[in-house]
Amino acid sequence: MFPNLINKLKPQTKTIQLARTFLKSFKTQTNFDTIIIGAGSIGVPTAMELQEAGLKVLVLDKRASPGQGDNKRALGGIRATHSNASKIISGLRSLKIFSQWKEKHGFDIEWKKGGYLFPVYREAEEKALKSILPFQKSFGMEIDFISADRVKELVPGISEEGLRGGTWSPNDGSASPMLSSLGFYKYATELGAQFHFKEEVIEFIRDSHGTLTGVKTTQGKYHAPIIIDAAGAASPKLMKQIGLELPVEPDSHEAGITAPVQRLFSPMVIDMRPTKGSKNCYFYQNYHGQIIFCYTPDPVIKGLDREETSTFLPHVAKRMIKVLPRLANLRVRRTWRGLYPMTPDGHPLLGWNKEVKGLFTATGMCGQGFLLGPGYATAIRSAITQNEIEKDDDVILSAADPHRTFKGTEIFK
Ligand SMILES: Cc1cc2nc3c(=O)[nH]c(=O)nc-3n(C[C@H](O)[C@H](O)[C@H](O)COP(=O)(O)OP(=O)(O)OC[C@H]3O[C@@H](n4cnc5c(N)ncnc54)[C@H](O)[C@@H]3O)c2cc1C
């Protein structure tokens, strides 16, 4: 009876041993086609694109799960309403990915097509917004300047004093930044991409010619001919290690969220009027009925501080109530602060580094990394695989060339 039992067990033991060997080799795999530093707004969609293109991808992040850096501090607004070609094209690509995600992948990222509304109270803003409409429309965008009455329909209760109308783009929307990066991560891992969390990149490995060939982390060494810097606000410090001075200077922004209430309005509302202390203010009601809000501080607050301030909430509350008085009695659940990794012209740095071979830069996402990340990732895929470089990819990549001279800025920075 005993030998019989062994015979019965043997095949199972063999299977277990094989599985162990496989798992061990999987765990200790150290050679990849691409290593991405950072599982954030740009790192995760880039992993998904590159793995889909057939590359063997490893993503390393010091945090515990995807999207836990500045990605999770984003409001969740997604728009193609920009004032330059590169961002309009990237925004349209992103909108397609976000809006079709649930249908294509069966995973709900809380996409909501609420539109973007820029209500206008001053002649100067009306002129500026109207002047770029033909350009925006030339990309096939549905966008128009609407009457004050239509603005009032879209946002019932909006302040009417001096209201002249507004720019309205109904196909823009919002999604949850956390669920989006989780959705992209799940898809990337299904395709075979590997993610190592709680693993910080601490050093770079270079060959005798100075070409990057790998990274050293808190846990081990990994090798790849392509290393992608997608470390967000941490990029400048990280790149200093290999002698690079990145034109990326983070500045901080605060945001907040209320308790859920019944549906009051659908669009992201952007009040472009500067006041003392802030350049603008914007808010929307999310999938769950919570109002999420933010403003651009004036002057900008440079640095890496992510501690909330006591001045943000009273200031933003006053601004929001001025635009939409019925928000006065909402309960604020929490506020937070995060970073925009800013470049001098508001465009990111996407491309090969000319000084350090093997390094591809995907950083400097400014205030739009969440919404433009998936669109930019499609252009990164083209740049790296060299397969499908199209006219539109070139428009994105040339505006984001890491070696460009920085001049000009845009209306919707
Ligand atoms: C208040 C606020 C509101 C915002 N609202 C919006 C919005 O509505 N829409 C929008 O598009 N954008 C918004 N943004 C901007 C957006 O959050 C950023 O542009 C975006 O998250 C930056 O993406 P990233 O991938 O470069 O950085 P991150 O998302 O921060 O990712 C970088 C990752 O790199 C990892 N990392 C860094 N160093 C290392 C290392 N040495 N080793 C391993 N891992 C490392 C980090 O842990 C992190 O996960 C907002 C930002 C703030 C602060």
Side-chain angles (χ1 to χ4, degrees), residues 326-344:
R326 64 196 300 214
L327 299 180
N329 295 319
L330 295 188
R331 281 168 192 267
V332 173
R333 278 205 171 153
R334 67 183 177 92
T335 60
W336 65 90
R337 185 175 176 190
L339 304 175
Y340 285 13
M342 290 306 295
T343 62

Side-chain angles (χ1 to χ4, degrees), residues 26 82 146 156 162 251 276 324 371:
F26 186 73
H82 299 276
I146 55 170
D251 58 49
K276 191 167 181 277
L324 189 54
L371 72 97

Side-chain angles (χ1 to χ4, degrees), residues 185-232:
Y185 157 78
K186 277 165 90 74
Y187 178 55
T189 49
E190 273 162 33
L191 293 169
Q194 290 190 38
F195 285 73
H196 292 195
F197 293 109
K198 294 189 178 175
E199 201 165 341
E200 182 172 359
V201 172
I202 47 173
E203 254 178 70
F204 291 90
I205 303 167
R206 304 175 78 163
D207 69 12
S208 55
H209 304 290
T211 301
L212 271 196
T213 56
V215 296
K216 195 172 157 197
T217 72
T218 39
Q219 325 258 340
K221 285 182 184 171
Y222 305 93
H223 304 275
I226 304 168
I227 312 289
I228 302 182
D229 167 24

Side-chain angles (χ1 to χ4, degrees), residues 314-326:
H315 184 92
V316 76
K318 259 190 215 147
R319 282 204 65 142
M320 285 163 63
I321 293 166
K322 196 173 161 210
V323 181
L324 189 54
R326 64 196 300 214

Side-chain angles (χ1 to χ4, degrees), residues 72-335:
K72 79 170 174 192
R73 293 171 169 91
L75 256 61
I78 304 164
R79 62 182 156 107
T81 307
H82 299 276
S83 53
N84 65 77
S86 160
K87 288 193 183 177
I88 293 175
I89 294 165
S90 310
L92 287 169
R93 290 186 186 189
S94 285
L95 276 168
K96 198 169 164 198
I97 295 170
F98 283 110
S99 63
Q100 296 177 355
W101 194 264
K102 189 177 170 191
E103 194 189 318
K104 279 195 173 167
H105 300 277
F107 184 84
D108 192 358
I109 58 171
E110 298 186 349
W111 159 255
K112 188 174 161 294
K113 185 179 143 182
Y116 262 62
L117 176 69
F118 293 73
V120 166
Y121 292 89
R122 303 184 319 171
E123 195 186 349
E125 275 130 27
E126 181 172 342
K127 273 191 182 156
L129 291 177
K130 279 183 170 169
S131 72
I132 53 168
L133 280 177
F135 180 67
Q136 292 168 320
K137 284 183 180 181
S138 72
F139 293 88
M141 279 183 70
E142 197 182 326
I143 186 165
D144 245 315
F145 195 85
I146 55 170
S147 67
D149 282 344
R150 180 76 181 113
V151 171
K152 284 189 262 173
E153 268 171 36
L154 288 168
V155 186
I158 193 165
S159 167
E160 296 182 20
E161 207 188 322
L163 183 64
R164 304 167 73 95
T167 290
W168 167 233
S169 41
N171 295 330
D172 293 335
S174 61
S176 154
M178 282 307 296
L179 288 174
S180 300
S181 60
L182 188 61
F184 302 154
Y185 157 78
K186 277 165 90 74
Y187 178 55
T189 49
E190 273 162 33
L191 293 169
Q194 290 190 38
F195 285 73
H196 292 195
F197 293 109
K198 294 189 178 175
E199 201 165 341
E200 182 172 359
V201 172
I202 47 173
E203 254 178 70
F204 291 90
I205 303 167
R206 304 175 78 163
D207 69 12
S208 55
H209 304 290
T211 301
L212 271 196
T213 56
V215 296
K216 195 172 157 197
T217 72
T218 39
Q219 325 258 340
K221 285 182 184 171
Y222 305 93
H223 304 275
I226 304 168
I227 312 289
I228 302 182
D229 167 24
S235 287
K237 193 171 168 207
L238 194 63
M239 290 299 115
K240 259 201 181 125
Q241 281 196 40
I242 43 176
L244 296 176
E245 287 289 338
L246 288 191
V248 174
E249 194 173 12
D251 58 49
S252 74
H253 292 249
E254 287 184 80
I257 188 164
T258 69
V261 286
Q262 69 181 68
R263 175 91 14 224
L264 300 175
F265 57 100
S266 277
M268 172 78 82
V269 178
I270 296 168
D271 179 11
M272 295 177 84
R273 291 169 292 179
T275 59
K276 191 167 181 277
S278 58
K279 286 184 184 147
N280 55 31
C281 159
Y282 37 105
F283 54 88
Y284 76 106
Q285 192 169 14
N286 75 2
Y287 195 82
H288 302 282
Q290 295 166 285
I291 312 285
I292 307 187
F293 50 91
C294 191
Y295 68 60
T296 304
D298 187 16
V300 291
I301 305 162
K302 291 186 176 174
L304 299 171
D305 198 347
R306 286 192 175 93
E307 280 296 310
E308 297 95 309
T309 66
S310 57
T311 49
F312 168 70
L313 193 53
H315 184 92
V316 76
K318 259 190 215 147
R319 282 204 65 142
M320 285 163 63
I321 293 166
K322 196 173 161 210
V323 181
L324 189 54
R326 64 196 300 214
L327 299 180
N329 295 319
L330 295 188
R331 281 168 192 267
V332 173
R333 278 205 171 153
R334 67 183 177 92
T335 60

